[in-house]
Amino acid sequence: MTIRLDRLSGAGAVPRLDAGRRLSALMAAALGSSMIALAVITAKTGIRFHSEFLGIAGLAVMTAVLSLYCDFRGLGWRIADLARLMTFFIASLLLCGLVSNGGLGLRMPVADPLLASMDAYLPLDSRSMVYFTASQDMAVRVLKWAYDSSAILCLAAAAWMVASGERLRFWRYVATAIVTMQATAIA
């Protein structure tokens, strides 16, 4: 699924790929890397996935078909791009969750000790900060709201960019989210 944006001028005889194709390739590489990681995890651990995941994958396929239909019918880039966003977002979340949770079956070291050692370099007592924050009911509620609403806020920001016609900025935003989620899951 390639995003076609206006061509960017390139130096030299070989024309550069347009920004949309580069962003599509970047997202495809990130999702492909997660698919490979999931295949390795599945082969090494023998884990099985519940059939509920097929419904989620089916939803991603349906939104992909919708975006292609919008392109075919010439319904405008905004509707097609929002359908593509949903396709990439659903696929990315599904892969991120499966790779992250499935990867625990490999019993490889998690990043927690590394992160704790990095905390040691900060002039703060992170353990005390965690306990203090957890003891503050209002802080816990605000942080919970921020965590729970982050996906909706990300989608709202993306929809705003589409509505305001900022297509390149929109796809850079989406690509950043997709690549970040997959890199975090694989790492």
Side-chain angles (χ1 to χ4, degrees):
M1 189 178 306
T2 301
I3 305 140
R4 289 179 178 82
L5 302 174
D6 295 330
R7 289 202 168 275
L8 300 176
S9 59
V14 179
R16 291 173 41 184
L17 290 175
D18 71 334
R21 289 180 191 222
R22 286 184 282 140
L23 291 171
S24 295
L26 179 64
M27 289 185 290
L31 293 172
S33 297
S34 284
M35 288 179 197
I36 291 168
L38 185 59
V40 169
I41 290 167
T42 303
K44 292 221 180 248
T45 63
I47 61 171
R48 293 190 183 300
F49 300 103
H50 291 277
S51 60
E52 291 91 19
F53 293 118
L54 292 175
I56 298 169
L59 182 59
V61 170
M62 288 180 357
T63 57
V65 169
L66 175 61
S67 74
L68 294 172
Y69 176 77
C70 290
D71 287 339
F72 176 75
R73 295 291 304 216
L75 298 177
W77 67 267
R78 286 179 170 90
I79 296 171
D81 278 10
L82 286 173
R84 281 185 196 77
L85 164 69
M86 293 308 298
T87 301
F88 282 120
F89 194 69
I90 293 165
S92 185
L93 285 173
L94 180 62
L95 281 169
C96 187
L98 292 174
V99 169
S100 296
N101 291 312
L104 295 174
L106 294 175
R107 304 207 189 290
M108 294 179 69
V110 294
D112 292 347
L114 173 64
L115 295 173
S117 70
M118 291 175 11
D119 282 349
Y121 288 105
L122 297 174
L124 303 168
D125 181 6
S126 58
R127 183 185 237 39
S128 296
M129 286 180 58
V130 168
Y131 284 120
F132 174 76
T133 304
S135 71
Q136 305 300 311
D137 188 49
M138 181 58 99
V140 170
R141 279 191 267 144
V142 168
L143 291 172
K144 181 186 180 319
W145 175 85
Y147 180 80
D148 289 346
S149 62
S150 62
I152 293 168
L153 293 173
C154 288
L155 288 173
W160 178 258
M161 287 178 222
V162 169
S164 60
E166 297 183 54
R167 195 173 190 200
L168 181 57
R169 184 174 175 209
F170 164 76
W171 281 111
R172 285 180 178 155
Y173 175 79
V174 172
T176 300
I178 300 297
V179 171
T180 303
M181 280 195 287
Q182 300 318 304
T184 302
I186 292 171

